[in-house]
Amino acid sequence: MLDLLPTIRPGVRLGPARRFPVSQARIDQFADCTEDHQWIHVDPSRARNESPTRGTIAHGYLTLSFLVAAHQAAGIFPQEAAQVLNYGLDKVRFLAPVPSGAELSFDIEVLDIDAKSTGLLLRTRSTICLAEDGTTVAVAEALFLVQRS
């Protein structure tokens, strides 16, 4: 079963394969989808006047929502897999705000690969940074179940 991930082993690090823009429009769309309309996210005027960041910031869960796409862009998931299932998250921490207009990059480290009867359980750690200055905004361990076709 491990032959399904021939180049992916614990300790392998994959740098940013692409950047993810976090525009105000994207933040507003996420707020609409999740019904989380806190002013710190969706009211640029109020945020400019009242927020310590002097502008709106992305939702933490919006930041996390790019995890799967970042893993796909990094080439972690094999094309010959029947499917890759999001299996969960561990040890998620939000360390700094993501200002509207920023771009995110993901540094992904493979922590563990465990053979299961239904496939391979892949555990990774993603360090999510502002692409502009390298500030770490979040760290999350993600679990993916990779199934053979």
Side-chain angles (χ1 to χ4, degrees):
M1 183 63 101
L2 284 176
D3 63 325
L4 190 57
L5 299 169
T7 61
I8 304 300
R9 296 280 181 255
V12 168
R13 296 183 79 98
L14 299 162
R18 66 175 271 216
R19 292 179 173 191
F20 297 88
V22 185
S23 65
Q24 187 60 50
R26 185 169 257 177
I27 293 169
D28 292 342
Q29 290 169 342
F30 188 84
D32 289 341
C33 288
T34 61
E35 299 185 20
D36 180 354
H37 292 95
Q38 289 187 60
W39 65 266
I40 193 69
H41 304 301
V42 299
D43 188 337
S45 177
R46 184 173 177 188
R48 190 170 31 261
N49 294 323
E50 297 180 35
S51 167
T53 62
R54 297 292 173 224
T56 56
I57 59 172
H59 304 73
Y61 288 118
L62 172 57
T63 301
L64 283 180
S65 72
F66 295 109
L67 273 174
V68 172
H71 281 69
Q72 289 171 333
I76 289 179
F77 304 140
Q79 290 186 333
E80 58 275 7
Q83 62 184 355
V84 178
L85 302 173
N86 180 350
Y87 204 72
L89 296 167
D90 288 337
K91 300 179 185 177
V92 176
R93 296 293 181 264
F94 300 107
L95 304 172
V98 175
S100 174
E103 288 189 329
L104 298 175
S105 65
F106 287 70
D107 177 49
I108 302 168
E109 178 184 3
V110 177
L111 297 179
D112 189 39
I113 301 172
D114 189 17
K116 300 286 186 188
S117 62
T118 56
L120 296 175
L121 186 60
L122 175 65
R123 178 186 303 270
T124 65
R125 178 184 303 119
S126 292
T127 302
I128 308 166
C129 299
L130 297 178
E132 296 81 1
D133 66 8
T135 298
T136 300
V137 297
V139 177
E141 288 185 13
L143 300 165
F144 299 99
L145 186 61
V146 180
Q147 296 181 318
R148 182 180 291 291
S149 52

